[in-house]
Amino acid sequence: MRVLAALIAVLVLSAIPVAGIALGWDALFGIAVPYLALAVFLAGIVVKVLGWGMSPVPFRITTTTGQQRSLPWIRRQPLESPSTGWETFLRMITEIVLFRSLFRNTRADLKQGRIVHGSAKWLWLFGLMFHASFLVILLRHFKYFVEPAPAWVGWLQNLDGFFQVGLPIIYLTDVLFMLAVGYLLLRRVLQPELRYLSLAADYLPLFLLLGIAGTGVSMRYLWKVDIVSVKQLAAGLLSFSPQSPDGIGTLFYVHLFLVSSLLAYFPFSKLMHMAGVFLSPTRNLANNSRAVRHVNPWDYPVKVHTYAEYEDEFRQVMKAAGLPLEHDPDGQSGGGGSKPRAHEPAEQERPHSAGEDSADG
Amino acid sequence: MRDLPKIIIGLAIFVIIVAIPLWYNLAGGGAGAMPELVVETEDVPGRDECVLPAGRMRPEHMDLLNRWRDEYVRYGDRDFTDHRGRTFEKSLTKTCLDCHANKDTFCDRCHNYMAVDPYCWDCHVVPEELAGRGGRR
């Protein structure tokens, strides 16, 4: 089972630091593993994105969902079919921040033997909820990363704990994050068509995130760890003066190891959509194919041998064999007679995509 | 490939953003310094140790104070008996602050370090502030 494979993988990943800390390998799991994971994360993303950057995208393959720029009296939709760089930028911003294309998500149901299409906004809603909560949670963690803790972390915490429920005050983003990841997981597990499509690689990030959030939430509300030591470790790592304080609690090392696993796994997984969303040729190109000619710069100069040239080369032989000729300078032919050849190419070698097919007359 | 320069600029921005904690710490100096706590115990008899062992107080003191508040205010249950059998009044200002008299060198050190803003002082008054007006201590 693919769900179970992913779940077992995350459970094994959680067990590794438990064993490691029991053996006293604090420095390995507190210092070496996070550094290694960060290095893999950064290098992996850079290599992957550079690879994408080297791939040819010769033509505009924008996917559009609206009227493109046309005659001035035809109303167009700049965000749905952008024609300038600025419009494309706006489209990208709304896509990245608001997930517009997910908002268009539809579902198809069979009702009384007919396919009925309807709107499906849940994925958009929970997807947005997940990403936004994740961002806030990450920003809140800045208090562990830097010394002195910036003032805005305090503002963010106060806003996040606006309702002052419980002590430590329950953060809204903690609840929303768990809800959203829970939905994203359950939808894959419970919907048969999605379960059929889902691979272990689809479940693994979700279980990892649940594990990270679960350990994090537990440390805050249930089985507390010494967060001053946690900050010593984290800020030490991020100022290149690593130290491994004693007695933090194993739960923290599980949290840290799962985060490290996520970071190291990131460049090789579907999570690379974080960089990929910026580099989607169907999104980040202006739809201006009718206004601007895009010549493929990687076109190999293909040797073209047109039919006219072929006939020039073999005219005598063809004539002797009694084959019909397009152009027969000294006989009468059905075609053009001796009129000038309009379609003869100007040069021998030219890009094959650069013009119309010159072979047929 | 025509866009490779733009992509490299984007990647550079990404790496710079990811490394913000590094820049911040390098600019701010030593990030590894642990806050130093000062306990100004005034030789209160029998108060050589806190109501819980320090290892438990450090992560759990907010829970204890929250529980004390609820028990004291809602149920009138005023006495706390610790692991050594000593009895204390469940009070932040009357019990905790007897030993930890200085908020700014005890409470605030860690709270500032961890960017925690407890709402104790929304209701409670810091003793030093009272002292100026002829109040306690």
Side-chain angles (χ1 to χ4, degrees), chain A residues 49 53-54 57-58 143-150 157 164 167 169 224 226 228 231-232 238-239 243 274 298, chain B residues 1-2 4 7-8 11 14 18 20-22 24-25 31-32 34-35 58-59 62-63 66 110 113-115 119:
Chain A
V49 169
M54 314 258 224
V57 184
K143 72 175 182 184
Y144 296 103
F145 301 157
V146 299
E147 169 60 25
Q157 287 181 143
Q164 297 198 342
L167 197 94
I169 292 168
K224 298 196 175 59
D226 182 7
V228 173
K231 173 156 183 177
Q232 254 200 305
L238 293 170
S239 56
Q243 40 191 313
M274 180 182 79
W298 293 279
Chain B
M1 212 140 139
R2 278 170 297 192
L4 195 58
I7 292 171
I8 289 173
L11 262 182
F14 168 73
V18 169
I20 280 178
L22 282 182
Y24 202 101
N25 282 334
M34 184 99 157
R58 211 170 293 139
M62 73 296 287
D63 264 350
N66 199 40
C110 282
Y113 183 65
M114 296 311 306
Y119 54 51

Side-chain angles (χ1 to χ4, degrees), chain A residues 52 64 66 180 182 265-266 276 283 299 317 346:
Chain A
W52 288 342
T64 63
Y265 175 57
F266 202 99
R283 288 285 180 285
D299 262 348
V317 189

